[in-house]
Amino acid sequence: MNENVKVAIIGSTGYGGVELIRLLASHPRAAVTSVISSSSAGAPIAEGFPHLSEIRTDVLDDVDPALIMSKADLVFLATPAGVAAKLVPSLLEAGLKVIDISGDFRLKSRDSYETWYKKEAAEQQYIDQAEYGLAEVYGDRVKGKDFISNPGCYPTATLLGLVPAIKAGYIDPATIIIDAKSGVSGAGRGASLGTHYSELNENFKAYKVNKHQHIPEIEQVLSDAAGCPVITTFTTHLVPMTRGIMSTMYATIQGGRSLEDFISLYRHYYEGRRFVRIRNAGIWPATKEVWGSNYCDIGFAVDERTGRVTIVSVIDNLVKGAAGQAIQNLNLMMGWDESLGLQFVPAYP
Amino acid sequence: MNENVKVAIIGSTGYGGVELIRLLASHPRAAVTSVISSSSAGAPIAEGFPHLSEIRTDVLDDVDPALIMSKADLVFLATPAGVAAKLVPSLLEAGLKVIDISGDFRLKSRDSYETWYKKEAAEQQYIDQAEYGLAEVYGDRVKGKDFISNPGCYPTATLLGLVPAIKAGYIDPATIIIDAKSGVSGAGRGASLGTHYSELNENFKAYKVNKHQHIPEIEQVLSDAAGCPVITTFTTHLVPMTRGIMSTMYATIQGGRSLEDFISLYRHYYEGRRFVRIRNAGIWPATKEVWGSNYCDIGFAVDERTGRVTIVSVIDNLVKGAAGQAIQNLNLMMGWDESLGLQFVPAYP
Amino acid sequence: MNENVKVAIIGSTGYGGVELIRLLASHPRAAVTSVISSSSAGAPIAEGFPHLSEIRTDVLDDVDPALIMSKADLVFLATPAGVAAKLVPSLLEAGLKVIDISGDFRLKSRDSYETWYKKEAAEQQYIDQAEYGLAEVYGDRVKGKDFISNPGCYPTATLLGLVPAIKAGYIDPATIIIDAKSGVSGAGRGASLGTHYSELNENFKAYKVNKHQHIPEIEQVLSDAAGCPVITTFTTHLVPMTRGIMSTMYATIQGGRSLEDFISLYRHYYEGRRFVRIRNAGIWPATKEVWGSNYCDIGFAVDERTGRVTIVSVIDNLVKGAAGQAIQNLNLMMGWDESLGLQFVPAYP
Amino acid sequence: MNENVKVAIIGSTGYGGVELIRLLASHPRAAVTSVISSSSAGAPIAEGFPHLSEIRTDVLDDVDPALIMSKADLVFLATPAGVAAKLVPSLLEAGLKVIDISGDFRLKSRDSYETWYKKEAAEQQYIDQAEYGLAEVYGDRVKGKDFISNPGCYPTATLLGLVPAIKAGYIDPATIIIDAKSGVSGAGRGASLGTHYSELNENFKAYKVNKHQHIPEIEQVLSDAAGCPVITTFTTHLVPMTRGIMSTMYATIQGGRSLEDFISLYRHYYEGRRFVRIRNAGIWPATKEVWGSNYCDIGFAVDERTGRVTIVSVIDNLVKGAAGQAIQNLNLMMGWDESLGLQFVPAYP
């Protein structure tokens, strides 16, 4: 499986889709051969996205599995919740490889999906077929697969920050508290009072406290890592910026582990994985340090007074939290180096 | 003690000082008769602060207790750490009332001050004399006092959010985790890479994790409320905005208390206190909802799955977290209504 | 006409209306007795505007002239274009005084309104009856009137910056170029891609070049000041901030006037008008220096190389550009000091 | 001259230098072999720039021509005004190719430099030797040269917007007014009150009106294009954002040229030049549409009422306005395609 690949993007007019276009434009082995949007089919994509002027001169296609099949080998779905659940079966049947960036195939339990997403779940057989592509944790399972479910933005930042410590028994899984913050692009391109500039600028707000649909996704992976059910306290906040997620995580340390133990554990766990960077003692990452790139940067503080560790993990929600990790999964599926076409230096300042 | 009061402000060229000028301009019973800055003495204050053009035409005075005494009855200190410790004795001796907005007199233990602030502490007798002016908790002790130590910004947001629950035994004090976020004005007006626009804009960062000098202040009050020593995990983050603090607090619930119990407890505790507003169930405050005002707004989420409560508390760090609460303390000292001259509607949007 | 006044606000759920509520809350002689919104009638206003919690506990009224008449003496209209044109006649007939913040009664020519606003104009008799309330220019005509048309935000900043020079013949009216910039709140509270945070943050854009509906309003007043028809080049830009307008204006100097001549002319013209502040030579105002206040600050640069003057004028678009000037007009109508209840110090930082 | 090139960067710890590092990281034929900073020599570059962690593990070199010569073939200078004037002679003598991003060699007149920059000018022979690298205008002269002076950020946006119209006689050069706006990164990485977050956020300000040192650079090129001396009115403003420049330019149209004439003229002039994109009628570019890329996007409005054209030109000040155009010049010097390694899609949103 070593040829180049032609890809189509369903949901090209959302932020996830248009970021795929940006990133894939410099991928050496993948070419975007169809940009697809049910709502804007027929219009030149650069009309709605002038930053693509003279870069992409093609017209948006409609969602049509036969048409997609005639143009592409693999399709990314960057669609709202509930859409991929219905589309994916026909795409797989048509013989396409599929990477779903929406949350429709992440939860193994249909009940859980319906509880948290308030939508009808996908059919169980397709859920079972989907490989959950948290690249640095489950990357080995992705290789050679045809259907990948790409992790959510909050789960990516959070899980990369917690999995090694849980697997190694360094923290008590019952004590995990996750305080997460996201830039506004995570809310998507839909216009609402909740995404209005004047409402969000010079404002910091909490939302969906204990109610965010990424909670079961996080708990599913943490439970898998711990070998027992894990439940967490998870709060989401909106930061007046466009891109970036920080997950600040708290847990009680087990086994008297020190700051150096944590740093060393994580460096070992992520050895050879180019996109996770562990900060030295006393340094915590900031979201800007990964802006526009596929990195996840992690730092630690150990408080001997309280016996707790504080883990700070940052990603660009549209890259490592969506389009970038999806391309990383594409690379893994194809048996290529996972960093192919993704070696961007973060944009600073 | 019912006459009007003439006030001087030491540190008029910092953000705390200039906010005092803004707020006091519409106070019906206090007049700012001297604006003081050791670094800029002799210059018209409006030169450095054009927003004060034609509002304040006076020149900055030097720090001189005799001069201050000749012009004012009461002095606010909005000075960097370590300055008030040295100035306050001579001001009190000169017969002035004093409200210190810096942290120099908040910690009752000199050792603790020197450990966290890395500066020489004030003399113990003056520390003992200072009344800690967390208005809604210790307001009764402020009345008639001559020397008030005004609480820090993070402690104000945090303590107003925790004290009622701790006093009532609704939460386990050993489990408290505080995830705090502040706008950049909290870092003061000093220019550094850490306050540079291009470094902070479109960026969210953690800083001083477990090391912030407000930790002992918070723990001192929580211990007082709990009746036993309380230690906490406390993280501070910088938000790309100018004003506003949110403290998101986590603790394990005791006694099976429900969301309604918390709301009802806090409404009862703060009854008659105009500046604390408790949100209804399912609503969490945002920093913009208190921008420019002396309010502290608080909301709750109770998670039955984890048995934890999440408490969200917001203030404007320059008002309720500094100049506004200082004026509230002035009002209390003078025996006036605590809201005198402070009834601003938050600026929205 | 010296009693206090009860006011109603139609359009209380827009940014102009809610700013009226904020400013009037501390007005000593006016009380808001009815907040009105056709779209949200029956709901507590604080539900949609939590910053008003416990400040305003009333419910939004529907638009009903008889009901308004029973509660108020005067009504502000802060409504979208086209609404006031239809409502005002019945309000005036009901005996209410009216201050219209929308643009429906600013243009004396119905044709011009229909050309630029693309809506049906109000009836000519009401247009004729409306006094255009650019307070520092036409304030004398406002006194004792019953129906005021409040100027637009761009026109206010621009006209206060140009009228004195035109009246005095210091500049050639044929050479005026106006480069204007506004914060996003000027676009109103409606949600659209054009007000989406992620689209506007870290972005600066031009819009409606030569097409903005404020052009005929500006030209109408400039022509009046010049005594002959004046046409201008006018460009509007959107700044990634919430509040503030800057108008940067260019014109060829006549009569060899110097920088000092301009400063002196403007100081003389605005003598006794508290809300216009003229900067010293070499200093230009910034929007933050008037944030939240009713000030209009103006600075100048004279370029001997090109023979042109550059005039920089700033206002807060929601205060001096809308609600604040409307209250100033209320004060003038009632024969009160124009600054009554408006003496806010700008919020800084 | 078709081999690959090793480059050194003097001033690697400023925004221009660190952007060169970012962009060159994906250049297929250039390798950064030495990062140089006189102030931080000896420190790992990633220490001050954590976004470069594990991307660049080298230590900053000191400024030493012999050392540079041993490591590199070509050197970029991204230094403050006055530094390159002194360094360049020794670098050229050492046999290095030089691209100077500072303004030290842009003005052909030493007097003019000293008037506007208030520093001692470089020696005339080196000024004469420097080729001014406005790539789309003077690119042909750059080929094969050893010493390039890279244009300023404001001049790049402005000149690309004006040169075609002036050369073609479509506008009257005597009527040009330039209203320019820049993000804060243009002010460099130095900390001052003028770059303080709290002072700039939610603020829009004018600065250096008629005094900016880019004025003589703009006029030098416009005069060359017009074939006669051109003087302009030029105003600079600071926008609360990090990256991006917009130049809004006004001039009186000559020869009755229409909007279509302008669009067609510019498309013809920039034919084959990948980095200039001309918008269709009625569309104006926004700075975000070029963010992080080497594009300059230009749009037009023609006002028949006033006979003036409004030209809107945007660039990313750190890319096309500095590091990107410098690499474009590197490509031209080496005889490569000018877009080599620069084909980034703008980051959106």
Side-chain angles (χ1 to χ4, degrees):
Chain A
M1 213 201 307
N2 246 325
E3 315 100 62
N4 291 348
V5 67
K6 291 177 289 176
V7 311
I9 300 167
I10 303 181
S12 285
T13 57
Y15 288 148
V18 82
E19 183 72 353
L20 277 167
I21 293 172
R22 177 176 83 92
L23 297 174
L24 288 167
S26 55
H27 195 288
R29 308 199 58 180
V32 178
T33 53
S34 172
V35 290
I36 300 167
S37 165
S38 58
S39 59
S40 309
I45 185 164
E47 208 173 85
F49 299 93
H51 74 289
L52 294 177
S53 298
E54 300 181 23
I55 295 173
R56 286 209 72 95
T57 53
D58 48 345
V59 158
L60 287 156
D61 288 329
D62 207 341
V63 183
D64 171 353
L67 177 68
I68 299 172
M69 195 56 212
S70 74
K71 291 188 164 188
D73 313 310
L74 181 147
V75 61
F76 291 97
L77 288 103
T79 44
V83 175
K86 289 183 188 123
L87 275 180
V88 161
S90 62
L91 298 168
L92 288 172
E93 241 165 78
L96 288 155
K97 294 180 200 297
V98 172
I99 299 177
D100 178 31
I101 300 186
S102 86
D104 283 6
F105 296 91
R106 295 183 198 143
L107 302 184
K108 291 305 174 192
S109 153
R110 298 186 77 235
D111 278 1
S112 180
Y113 180 89
E114 296 186 349
T115 300
W116 291 88
Y117 282 80
K118 318 280 183 211
K119 301 215 174 238
E120 200 193 336
E123 289 175 56
Q124 191 68 49
Q125 65 173 113
Y126 295 101
I127 294 175
D128 293 347
Q129 194 180 332
E131 199 64 55
Y132 182 72
L134 185 62
E136 283 80 7
V137 175
Y138 300 118
D140 289 346
R141 303 190 196 159
V142 169
K143 287 178 192 171
K145 289 284 162 43
D146 285 347
F147 177 24
I148 305 300
S149 173
N150 206 57
C153 51
Y154 284 123
T156 296
T158 301
L159 294 169
L160 293 179
L162 286 173
V163 164
I166 287 189
K167 285 206 167 172
Y170 280 32
I171 58 174
D172 176 358
T175 63
I176 296 171
I177 290 175
I178 303 156
D179 191 283
K181 302 92 176 170
S182 175
V184 181
S185 64
R189 201 167 177 243
S192 71
L193 200 59
T195 56
H196 192 298
Y197 185 90
S198 303
E199 304 283 323
L200 296 179
N201 180 43
E202 189 69 6
N203 195 4
F204 185 86
K205 57 195 294 187
Y207 71 103
K208 288 193 189 176
V209 183
N210 297 328
K211 303 284 185 207
H212 199 285
Q213 70 275 13
H214 285 168
I215 292 176
E217 181 180 345
I218 289 168
E219 293 180 350
Q220 179 175 284
V221 177
L222 292 184
S223 299
D224 180 45
C228 65
V230 174
I231 56 172
T232 63
T233 291
F234 179 73
T235 308
T236 41
H237 304 80
L238 216 47
V239 185
M241 61 185 189
T242 302
R243 290 176 182 233
I245 279 181
M246 178 182 286
S247 217
T248 311
M249 297 162 278
Y250 303 92
T252 298
I253 297 169
Q254 291 183 146
R257 297 300 178 167
S258 68
L259 177 56
E260 288 66 33
D261 290 339
F262 277 92
I263 291 174
S264 154
L265 170 71
Y266 278 65
R267 288 205 167 133
H268 185 74
Y269 186 89
Y270 291 117
E271 203 165 8
R273 308 313 293 258
R274 186 191 297 254
F275 293 125
V276 178
R277 304 187 293 191
I278 307 301
R279 289 283 184 282
N280 289 333
I283 311 289
W284 305 280
T287 61
K288 205 178 190 58
E289 294 162 6
V290 298
W291 206 102
S293 82
N294 202 47
Y295 289 102
C296 174
D297 288 6
I298 303 174
F300 306 88
V302 161
D303 189 2
E304 291 170 9
R305 300 188 326 131
T306 60
R308 295 193 190 104
V309 65
T310 304
I311 305 176
V312 176
S313 172
V314 297
I315 60 168
D316 181 321
N317 56 305
L318 293 180
V319 188
K320 184 63 175 169
Q325 185 160 237
I327 294 169
Q328 193 178 355
N329 278 314
L330 164 71
N331 291 337
L332 291 169
M333 288 165 86
M334 303 299 289
W336 301 331
D337 181 303
E338 69 177 343
S339 68
L340 201 67
L342 285 173
Q343 298 176 32
F344 296 99
V345 177
Y348 166 90
Chain B
M1 211 199 306
N2 246 325
E3 314 101 63
N4 291 348
V5 67
K6 291 176 289 176
V7 312
I9 299 167
I10 303 181
S12 286
T13 56
Y15 288 147
V18 83
E19 183 72 352
L20 276 167
I21 292 172
R22 177 176 84 92
L23 297 173
L24 287 166
S26 55
H27 197 287
R29 306 198 59 179
V32 178
T33 54
S34 173
V35 288
I36 300 167
S37 165
S38 58
S39 60
S40 308
I45 184 163
E47 208 172 85
F49 299 92
H51 73 289
L52 295 176
S53 299
E54 300 181 24
I55 294 172
R56 287 208 71 95
T57 54
D58 49 345
V59 158
L60 287 156
D61 288 328
D62 208 342
V63 183
D64 171 352
L67 178 66
I68 300 172
M69 194 57 212
S70 74
K71 291 187 163 187
D73 313 311
L74 181 148
V75 61
F76 290 97
L77 288 103
T79 45
V83 174
K86 290 187 186 119
L87 274 181
V88 160
S90 62
L91 298 168
L92 288 172
E93 243 166 75
L96 286 155
K97 293 179 200 300
V98 172
I99 298 177
D100 178 32
I101 300 184
S102 86
D104 284 5
F105 295 92
R106 295 183 199 143
L107 302 183
K108 291 305 174 192
S109 153
R110 297 187 76 233
D111 278 0
S112 180
Y113 180 89
E114 296 184 350
T115 300
W116 291 89
Y117 282 80
K118 318 280 183 210
K119 302 217 173 236
E120 201 193 336
E123 289 174 56
Q124 191 68 49
Q125 66 173 112
Y126 295 102
I127 294 175
D128 292 346
Q129 195 180 332
E131 200 64 55
Y132 181 73
L134 185 63
E136 283 81 6
V137 174
Y138 299 118
D140 289 346
R141 302 190 195 159
V142 169
K143 287 179 192 171
K145 291 285 162 44
D146 285 348
F147 177 25
I148 305 300
S149 172
N150 205 58
C153 51
Y154 284 122
T156 295
T158 301
L159 294 169
L160 294 179
L162 287 174
V163 164
I166 287 189
K167 285 204 166 171
Y170 281 31
I171 58 174
D172 176 358
T175 62
I176 296 171
I177 290 174
I178 303 157
D179 191 282
K181 302 91 176 170
S182 176
V184 180
S185 65
R189 201 167 177 244
S192 72
L193 200 59
T195 56
H196 191 298
Y197 184 89
S198 303
E199 304 283 322
L200 297 179
N201 180 43
E202 190 68 5
N203 195 3
F204 185 85
K205 57 195 295 189
Y207 71 103
K208 288 194 188 174
V209 183
N210 297 329
K211 304 283 184 208
H212 199 286
Q213 70 276 13
H214 286 168
I215 293 176
E217 181 182 344
I218 289 168
E219 293 180 351
Q220 179 175 284
V221 176
L222 292 184
S223 299
D224 181 44
C228 65
V230 174
I231 56 173
T232 64
T233 291
F234 180 73
T235 308
T236 42
H237 304 80
L238 216 47
V239 186
M241 62 184 187
T242 302
R243 291 175 181 233
I245 280 181
M246 179 182 285
S247 216
T248 311
M249 297 162 277
Y250 304 92
T252 298
I253 297 169
Q254 292 183 146
R257 296 300 178 167
S258 68
L259 176 56
E260 287 66 33
D261 290 338
F262 277 91
I263 292 173
S264 154
L265 170 71
Y266 278 65
R267 289 207 166 130
H268 185 75
Y269 186 89
Y270 292 117
E271 204 165 8
R273 308 313 294 257
R274 186 190 298 254
F275 293 125
V276 179
R277 302 187 295 190
I278 307 301
R279 287 284 183 283
N280 288 335
I283 312 288
W284 305 281
T287 60
K288 203 178 192 59
E289 294 163 6
V290 298
W291 206 101
S293 82
N294 201 48
Y295 289 102
C296 174
D297 287 5
I298 303 174
F300 306 88
V302 162
D303 189 2
E304 290 170 10
R305 300 188 326 131
T306 60
R308 295 192 191 106
V309 65
T310 304
I311 305 176
V312 176
S313 171
V314 297
I315 61 168
D316 182 320
N317 56 305
L318 294 179
V319 188
K320 184 63 177 168
Q325 186 160 235
I327 294 168
Q328 193 178 356
N329 277 315
L330 164 71
N331 291 338
L332 290 169
M333 288 166 86
M334 304 298 289
W336 302 332
D337 182 302
E338 69 178 343
S339 69
L340 200 67
L342 286 173
Q343 298 175 31
F344 296 99
V345 176
Y348 166 90
Chain C
M1 215 202 305
N2 245 325
E3 313 102 62
N4 291 348
V5 67
K6 291 178 288 176
V7 311
I9 300 166
I10 302 181
S12 286
T13 57
Y15 288 148
V18 83
E19 183 72 352
L20 276 168
I21 293 172
R22 177 176 84 92
L23 297 174
L24 287 168
S26 55
H27 196 288
R29 306 198 59 180
V32 178
T33 53
S34 173
V35 288
I36 299 167
S37 163
S38 58
S39 60
S40 308
I45 184 164
E47 209 172 85
F49 299 92
H51 74 288
L52 294 177
S53 299
E54 299 180 25
I55 294 173
R56 288 208 71 95
T57 53
D58 48 346
V59 158
L60 288 156
D61 288 328
D62 208 341
V63 183
D64 171 353
L67 178 67
I68 299 172
M69 195 57 212
S70 74
K71 291 188 164 187
D73 313 312
L74 181 148
V75 61
F76 291 96
L77 288 103
T79 45
V83 174
K86 289 183 188 125
L87 274 180
V88 161
S90 61
L91 298 168
L92 288 172
E93 242 167 75
L96 287 155
K97 294 179 199 300
V98 172
I99 299 177
D100 178 31
I101 300 184
S102 86
D104 284 4
F105 296 90
R106 295 183 198 144
L107 302 184
K108 291 305 174 192
S109 152
R110 297 187 76 234
D111 278 0
S112 179
Y113 179 90
E114 297 186 349
T115 300
W116 291 89
Y117 281 80
K118 320 278 183 212
K119 301 216 174 238
E120 201 193 335
E123 290 174 56
Q124 191 69 47
Q125 66 172 112
Y126 295 102
I127 294 175
D128 293 346
Q129 194 180 333
E131 199 64 55
Y132 182 72
L134 184 64
E136 284 80 6
V137 174
Y138 300 117
D140 289 347
R141 303 189 195 159
V142 168
K143 286 179 193 171
K145 290 284 162 44
D146 284 348
F147 177 24
I148 306 300
S149 173
N150 205 57
C153 51
Y154 285 122
T156 296
T158 300
L159 294 170
L160 293 179
L162 286 174
V163 164
I166 287 189
K167 285 204 165 172
Y170 281 32
I171 57 175
D172 175 359
T175 64
I176 296 172
I177 290 174
I178 303 158
D179 191 282
K181 302 91 176 172
S182 174
V184 180
S185 64
R189 200 167 178 243
S192 71
L193 201 59
T195 56
H196 192 298
Y197 185 89
S198 303
E199 303 283 323
L200 297 179
N201 181 43
E202 190 69 6
N203 195 4
F204 185 85
K205 58 195 295 188
Y207 71 103
K208 287 192 189 177
V209 182
N210 296 329
K211 304 283 184 207
H212 199 286
Q213 70 275 13
H214 285 168
I215 293 176
E217 182 181 344
I218 289 169
E219 293 179 350
Q220 179 175 283
V221 177
L222 292 184
S223 299
D224 181 45
C228 65
V230 174
I231 57 172
T232 64
T233 292
F234 179 73
T235 308
T236 42
H237 304 80
L238 216 47
V239 186
M241 63 184 188
T242 302
R243 290 176 182 233
I245 280 181
M246 178 182 286
S247 217
T248 311
M249 296 162 279
Y250 304 92
T252 298
I253 298 169
Q254 292 184 145
R257 296 301 177 167
S258 69
L259 177 55
E260 289 66 32
D261 290 339
F262 277 91
I263 292 173
S264 154
L265 169 71
Y266 278 64
R267 288 205 168 134
H268 184 75
Y269 186 88
Y270 291 118
E271 203 166 8
R273 308 313 294 257
R274 186 191 297 254
F275 293 125
V276 179
R277 304 186 294 190
I278 306 302
R279 288 284 183 283
N280 288 334
I283 311 290
W284 305 281
T287 61
K288 205 179 190 57
E289 294 163 6
V290 298
W291 206 102
S293 81
N294 203 47
Y295 289 103
C296 174
D297 288 5
I298 303 174
F300 306 88
V302 162
D303 190 2
E304 291 171 8
R305 299 189 325 130
T306 59
R308 295 193 190 104
V309 65
T310 305
I311 304 176
V312 176
S313 171
V314 297
I315 60 168
D316 181 321
N317 56 305
L318 294 179
V319 188
K320 184 62 175 168
Q325 185 159 236
I327 294 168
Q328 192 177 355
N329 277 314
L330 165 71
N331 291 337
L332 291 169
M333 288 165 87
M334 303 299 289
W336 302 331
D337 181 302
E338 69 178 342
S339 68
L340 200 68
L342 285 173
Q343 298 176 31
F344 297 99
V345 176
Y348 166 91
Chain D
M1 212 200 306
N2 245 325
E3 314 103 62
N4 291 348
V5 67
K6 291 177 288 176
V7 311
I9 300 166
I10 303 181
S12 285
T13 56
Y15 287 147
V18 84
E19 183 72 353
L20 276 167
I21 293 172
R22 177 176 84 91
L23 297 174
L24 287 167
S26 55
H27 196 287
R29 307 198 60 179
V32 178
T33 54
S34 173
V35 288
I36 300 167
S37 164
S38 59
S39 59
S40 309
I45 185 165
E47 208 172 84
F49 299 92
H51 74 288
L52 295 177
S53 300
E54 300 180 24
I55 294 172
R56 287 209 72 95
T57 54
D58 49 345
V59 158
L60 287 156
D61 288 328
D62 208 343
V63 183
D64 171 352
L67 178 66
I68 300 171
M69 195 56 212
S70 74
K71 291 187 162 188
D73 312 312
L74 180 148
V75 62
F76 290 97
L77 288 104
T79 45
V83 174
K86 290 187 185 120
L87 275 180
V88 161
S90 61
L91 297 169
L92 288 173
E93 242 167 77
L96 287 155
K97 294 179 200 299
V98 172
I99 299 176
D100 178 32
I101 300 185
S102 86
D104 284 6
F105 295 91
R106 294 183 199 143
L107 301 184
K108 292 304 173 193
S109 152
R110 298 187 76 235
D111 278 0
S112 179
Y113 180 89
E114 296 185 350
T115 300
W116 291 89
Y117 281 81
K118 319 280 182 211
K119 302 217 173 237
E120 201 193 336
E123 289 175 56
Q124 190 69 48
Q125 65 173 113
Y126 295 102
I127 294 174
D128 292 346
Q129 193 179 334
E131 200 64 55
Y132 182 72
L134 185 62
E136 283 80 8
V137 175
Y138 299 117
D140 289 346
R141 302 190 196 159
V142 169
K143 286 180 193 172
K145 290 285 162 44
D146 285 348
F147 176 25
I148 306 300
S149 173
N150 205 57
C153 50
Y154 284 122
T156 296
T158 301
L159 294 169
L160 293 178
L162 287 174
V163 163
I166 287 189
K167 284 204 167 172
Y170 281 30
I171 57 174
D172 176 358
T175 63
I176 296 171
I177 290 175
I178 304 157
D179 191 282
K181 303 90 177 171
S182 175
V184 181
S185 65
R189 201 167 176 243
S192 71
L193 201 59
T195 56
H196 192 296
Y197 185 89
S198 303
E199 304 283 323
L200 296 179
N201 181 43
E202 190 68 7
N203 195 3
F204 185 86
K205 57 194 296 187
Y207 71 102
K208 288 194 189 175
V209 182
N210 297 329
K211 304 283 185 207
H212 199 285
Q213 70 275 13
H214 286 167
I215 293 175
E217 182 181 345
I218 289 168
E219 293 179 350
Q220 178 175 285
V221 177
L222 292 185
S223 299
D224 181 45
C228 65
V230 173
I231 57 173
T232 63
T233 291
F234 179 72
T235 308
T236 43
H237 304 80
L238 216 47
V239 185
M241 63 185 188
T242 302
R243 291 175 181 233
I245 280 182
M246 179 182 286
S247 217
T248 312
M249 296 163 278
Y250 304 92
T252 298
I253 297 169
Q254 292 183 147
R257 296 300 179 168
S258 69
L259 176 56
E260 288 65 34
D261 290 338
F262 277 91
I263 291 174
S264 155
L265 170 71
Y266 278 65
R267 289 207 167 131
H268 184 75
Y269 186 89
Y270 291 118
E271 203 165 8
R273 308 313 294 258
R274 186 191 297 256
F275 293 126
V276 179
R277 303 187 294 191
I278 306 302
R279 288 283 183 284
N280 288 335
I283 311 290
W284 305 280
T287 61
K288 204 178 191 59
E289 294 163 5
V290 298
W291 206 102
S293 82
N294 201 48
Y295 289 103
C296 174
D297 288 6
I298 303 174
F300 307 88
V302 162
D303 189 3
E304 291 169 9
R305 300 189 325 130
T306 60
R308 295 193 190 105
V309 65
T310 304
I311 305 176
V312 176
S313 171
V314 298
I315 60 168
D316 181 321
N317 57 304
L318 294 179
V319 189
K320 184 63 176 167
Q325 185 160 236
I327 294 169
Q328 193 178 355
N329 277 314
L330 164 70
N331 290 338
L332 291 170
M333 288 166 85
M334 303 299 288
W336 302 331
D337 181 301
E338 69 178 342
S339 69
L340 202 66
L342 285 173
Q343 298 175 31
F344 296 99
V345 176
Y348 166 88

